[in-house]
Amino acid sequence: MSIIKRVAVLGAAAALLASPVLAAMTAADTPAAAAAGASVKVSAAPSPAEAEAAAKETAARLAAQHIVDVPVSFTVRNTNGSKTGCRTSGGTHRISGHLTAPASVLSGGKRAVTLYQHGIAAGEWYWRLDVPGYHYAEELAKRGHASVTIDRLGYGASDRPDGFDTCIGAEADIAHQIVQQLRAGTYALEGKPAEGPATAQGFETVTLAGQSNGGQVAQIEAYSFGDVDGLMIMDWTDRGLTPEANTRFFSALQSCMAGGQPSRDPSDPSGYVYYDLGPDQFRRGNFHDTEERVMDAAAPHQNRHPCGDMSSQLDSVFTDLKHLASVKVPVLLVYGDEDARVTGGAAHQRLFTGAQSELVTIPGAGHYATMARSAPATFDRIDTWLDARGL
């Protein structure tokens, strides 16, 4: 690992060593102990054939509802012009995602869209789970809204550079670049929609949303660039991470300090790490009051994330606390009241002193709040908030 990378990671480690996080570390944080410890019931994951069949069922369902669901891509620079300082490579990369919307919205006059940022332990799949009633982009489209979901840099189908060559500030800058491309219609359609316009369309109104540390990315973009019309923060607070979340964070950071692992395949760039040690931790940390079929569909998507995201996250919290009051657009904050990783939604709301904000607490939901059994009511609340503000 280079000197610059070591400085970044060791700086984050020093901050954690000075905090109560280290005291929360236990023997259960090793992979062997995690496997031997308390577990949750784990059903068989869908086979490749079952997963393919579920994806086809989703596509047929969307088409029957006249919902456009087309792959899109964005060409971006891995730079950091945000207000939170961290190192990037400056390279040019491709970000992959999907545009999901009622055909009538894309063909209409005033077009509005929400760009969604997933969390550190997830990917675009979080918004596109092939389970009826839990495919977020589909449910919002049924309620009349357009969504763009992406794999952030370093995740899934998007480019995956060295994991130390990007950071939270860069993710916010890339979100800013995508917002600008959505407004200008300069992104690429990677397929021909069955309905609606055959070319990329510009959007007059762009809302930015983020789940877990994707919420941190979204708020950094909002106060750094001031180019969005609304902001949604889901399952993220700057000062409310639980001991369980901090323990997972520190355990993963130790792997980053050793250089990390390849992003996915052995030949891939290194500098990546799992947030959760195995499927048990993934399920226990993210879900509460969730159907088994939903967890079974989500669990195979567990992925590594870039170490640069982790090593820059703590310093970015201090930047957040300094600048969140400058956000002026409407803010919606959404939290599950059984979240094992994040607490303090009301306290986080109070940091947005310059914005009109609304707090939604979902009874019984965990960290993946929109995957709880209460998801339909959550989708309705988000729909109502967007509609009331013309977003």
Side-chain angles (χ1 to χ4, degrees), residues 82-98:
S82 78
K83 292 184 177 179
T84 183
C86 52
R87 173 186 172 273
T88 68
S89 68
T92 299
H93 294 284
R94 180 178 184 271
I95 300 297
S96 298
H98 290 81

Side-chain angles (χ1 to χ4, degrees), residues 275-351:
Y275 187 83
D276 293 299
L277 300 176
D280 274 13
Q281 285 187 4
F282 181 75
R283 290 181 178 232
R284 284 189 284 115
N286 292 310
F287 299 98
H288 192 271
D289 191 27
T290 301
E291 292 186 55
E292 199 69 35
R293 64 186 180 123
V294 173
M295 289 189 286
D296 289 345
H301 293 291
Q302 184 182 2
N303 49 266
R304 297 184 179 113
H305 62 267
C307 286
D309 276 11
M310 296 194 73
S311 61
S312 59
Q313 187 169 311
L314 284 172
D315 187 58
S316 298
V317 166
F318 294 103
T319 309
D320 290 346
L321 299 178
K322 181 178 178 181
H323 292 290
L324 287 179
S326 68
V327 174
K328 303 300 181 187
V329 298
V331 180
L332 176 67
L333 302 101
V334 180
Y335 302 95
D337 71 355
E338 294 291 343
D339 193 332
R341 296 188 162 164
V342 170
T343 62
H348 196 63
Q349 180 189 21
R350 288 193 291 271
L351 297 174

Side-chain angles (χ1 to χ4, degrees), residues 156-177:
S158 292
D159 285 356
R160 287 173 276 121
D162 187 300
F164 290 96
D165 283 345
T166 188
C167 62
I168 289 293
E171 298 282 9
D173 192 309
I174 290 169
H176 164 62
Q177 295 175 54

Side-chain angles (χ1 to χ4, degrees), residues 13-386:
L16 280 167
L17 286 167
S19 76
V21 177
L22 186 60
M25 291 289 290
T26 68
D29 298 316
T30 64
S39 64
V40 295
K41 177 185 176 183
V42 178
S43 303
S47 68
E50 290 170 332
E52 182 180 358
K56 289 181 177 179
E57 289 175 9
T58 296
R61 205 169 55 244
L62 293 171
Q65 298 172 94
H66 302 284
I67 294 173
V68 173
D69 187 54
V70 60
V72 294
S73 66
F74 305 85
T75 300
V76 301
R77 292 284 307 280
N78 181 24
T79 55
N80 179 19
S82 78
K83 292 184 177 179
T84 183
C86 52
R87 173 186 172 273
T88 68
S89 68
T92 299
H93 294 284
R94 180 178 184 271
I95 300 297
S96 298
H98 290 81
L99 169 61
T100 308
S104 58
V105 168
L106 297 182
S107 301
K110 181 180 179 181
R111 285 184 290 271
V113 68
T114 301
L115 170 63
Y116 290 91
Q117 307 283 306
H118 60 76
I120 201 167
E124 188 195 12
W125 63 264
Y126 180 85
W127 313 106
R128 297 178 55 80
L129 199 65
D130 286 318
V131 179
Y134 295 94
H135 187 296
Y136 183 100
E138 174 189 358
E139 292 303 315
L140 267 291
K142 285 163 60 175
R143 291 161 173 81
H145 300 286
S147 302
V148 168
T149 55
I150 61 168
D151 276 313
R152 287 161 42 189
L153 183 65
Y155 296 81
S158 292
D159 285 356
R160 287 173 276 121
D162 187 300
F164 290 96
D165 283 345
T166 188
C167 62
I168 289 293
E171 298 282 9
D173 192 309
I174 290 169
H176 164 62
Q177 295 175 54
I178 293 174
V179 167
Q180 294 302 305
Q181 292 180 39
L182 288 172
R183 290 194 185 278
T186 53
Y187 56 96
L189 294 185
E190 300 294 338
K192 180 176 173 55
E195 297 184 64
T199 57
Q201 303 294 300
F203 293 89
E204 297 176 38
T205 303
V206 181
T207 299
L208 184 58
Q211 193 273 337
S212 193
N213 92 320
Q216 185 180 31
V217 171
Q219 64 189 26
I220 292 171
E221 197 283 345
Y223 66 66
S224 294
F225 301 103
D227 62 347
V228 295
D229 301 291
L231 179 63
M232 280 196 279
I233 307 296
M234 304 177 183
D235 316 306
W236 170 264
T237 61
D238 282 302
R239 297 186 294 191
L241 299 184
T242 65
E244 192 272 353
N246 283 327
T247 300
R248 298 278 72 71
F249 184 99
F250 192 83
S251 178
L253 190 64
Q254 288 181 311
S255 179
C256 286
M257 292 174 70
Q261 303 164 327
S263 64
R264 187 165 58 200
D265 301 319
S267 60
D268 285 347
S270 193
Y272 289 75
V273 66
Y274 283 113
Y275 187 83
D276 293 299
L277 300 176
D280 274 13
Q281 285 187 4
F282 181 75
R283 290 181 178 232
R284 284 189 284 115
N286 292 310
F287 299 98
H288 192 271
D289 191 27
T290 301
E291 292 186 55
E292 199 69 35
R293 64 186 180 123
V294 173
M295 289 189 286
D296 289 345
H301 293 291
Q302 184 182 2
N303 49 266
R304 297 184 179 113
H305 62 267
C307 286
D309 276 11
M310 296 194 73
S311 61
S312 59
Q313 187 169 311
L314 284 172
D315 187 58
S316 298
V317 166
F318 294 103
T319 309
D320 290 346
L321 299 178
K322 181 178 178 181
H323 292 290
L324 287 179
S326 68
V327 174
K328 303 300 181 187
V329 298
V331 180
L332 176 67
L333 302 101
V334 180
Y335 302 95
D337 71 355
E338 294 291 343
D339 193 332
R341 296 188 162 164
V342 170
T343 62
H348 196 63
Q349 180 189 21
R350 288 193 291 271
L351 297 174
F352 291 93
T353 56
Q356 195 177 54
S357 63
E358 180 177 333
L359 175 66
V360 173
T361 301
I362 307 167
H367 190 59
Y368 286 176
T370 59
M371 293 186 184
R373 296 177 197 273
S374 55
T378 306
F379 298 143
D380 287 342
R381 293 291 297 272
I382 293 170
D383 166 46
T384 298
W385 184 83
L386 289 169

